[in-house]
Amino acid sequence: EVQLVESGGGLVQPGRSLKLSCAASGFTFSDYAMAWVRQAPKKGLEWVATIIYDGSSTYYRDSVKGRFTISRDNAKSTLYLQMDSLRSEDTATYYCARRATLFDYWGQGVMVTVSS
Amino acid sequence: IQLTQSPSLLSASVGDRVTLSCKGSQNINNYLAWYQQKLGEAPKLLIYNTNSLQTGIPSRFSGSGSGTDYTLTISSLQPEDVATYFCYQYNNGLTFGSGTKLEIK
């Protein structure tokens, strides 16, 4: 059974950093691209970043370019999202999802609140 | 590409045939998927490539459409179908619609 479990969320002040993790199991992690998708409170879904299977290419939405870094450790079957220079508009539930564009499995999500 | 979903709220009775609409600002070339999100849960993929049913999804769900106009149909609404439904295009960039909240009347 495919499982994706996010961790690392919490309350952080504007301008500070936070690193999210997503532990994957139930499939061969190194075979798949992975992504982060977020959902602001009571709002719609928004793609954030994608990393291909071996980590050699990454893609970001414009609003997070230069501030967020997606990475992976295939030996640990874990996906990461390093978030720097956080802004209030980054407040959201962050989901990790399998595949680059058509997300077929999602984790339960982790909440990130950016507030002073 | 912007996606506009209608209606934003839909109330229907158990057993009803329900139709949800998604309209793109440009041609989506059938790269359109539908997700179901129940309260407090992660989204679940229902339909991809306009009309392909994801493994394990009940056959009462179906998708159709072309160009800029797409539809998700539930042939016989069940209580467990209460959720918000998002359309999603992956033809040009990656964007989600704003969602249709489906309730039982």
Side-chain angles (χ1 to χ4, degrees):
Chain A
E1 179 194 4
V2 172
Q3 285 201 323
L4 299 169
V5 180
E6 301 94 339
S7 61
L11 173 63
V12 62
Q13 293 178 329
R16 303 297 289 261
S17 299
L18 204 60
K19 187 172 185 176
L20 306 182
S21 300
C22 170
S25 60
F27 65 101
T28 304
F29 182 72
S30 57
D31 284 350
Y32 289 85
M34 298 292 294
W36 290 96
V37 179
R38 67 185 179 185
Q39 186 171 33
K42 300 190 187 298
K43 294 287 180 65
L45 297 157
E46 186 175 80
W47 167 77
V48 175
T50 290
I51 185 167
I52 70 168
Y53 71 102
D54 63 356
S56 60
S57 292
T58 57
Y59 307 89
Y60 301 91
R61 70 177 302 105
D62 286 346
S63 62
V64 308
K65 275 181 190 173
R67 300 189 300 121
F68 288 14
T69 303
I70 187 172
S71 63
R72 63 192 298 159
D73 185 336
N74 285 346
K76 295 182 178 180
S77 296
T78 302
L79 177 72
Y80 302 100
L81 185 67
Q82 175 69 44
M83 303 184 293
D84 299 322
S85 303
L86 281 160
R87 306 168 180 168
S88 58
E89 55 263 38
D90 297 319
T91 293
T93 295
Y94 285 74
Y95 297 97
C96 70
R98 195 177 75 163
R99 293 192 182 275
T101 54
L102 182 61
F103 314 121
D104 59 353
Y105 288 94
W106 300 55
Q108 285 301 107
V110 63
M111 185 68 199
V112 173
T113 302
V114 184
S115 175
S116 54
Chain B
I1 296 179
Q2 312 262 11
L3 297 177
T4 302
Q5 289 189 244
S6 61
S8 55
L9 175 63
L10 180 58
S11 186
S13 299
V14 172
D16 281 355
R17 182 180 182 86
V18 170
T19 299
L20 285 63
S21 175
C22 177
K23 186 175 180 65
S25 59
Q26 300 173 33
N27 188 351
I28 295 170
N29 289 310
N30 293 115
Y31 291 105
L32 193 285
W34 291 91
Y35 288 91
Q36 176 194 66
Q37 187 177 32
K38 296 183 178 180
L39 196 62
E41 297 185 6
K44 177 191 289 187
L45 178 64
L46 301 177
I47 301 281
Y48 61 96
N49 293 349
T50 298
N51 56 17
S52 296
L53 195 65
Q54 175 69 345
T55 303
I57 301 302
S59 58
R60 64 179 180 274
F61 291 93
S62 64
S64 63
S66 63
T68 60
D69 296 310
Y70 296 83
T71 298
L72 174 69
T73 299
I74 306 173
S75 61
S76 177
L77 184 65
Q78 300 302 304
E80 60 267 30
D81 299 336
V82 168
T84 299
Y85 292 83
F86 295 95
C87 60
Y88 166 70
Q89 72 82 23
Y90 42 105
N91 176 58
N92 183 353
L94 305 174
T95 50
F96 293 87
S98 55
T100 291
K101 187 175 182 180
L102 179 58
E103 299 179 338
I104 298 291
K105 196 182 292 184

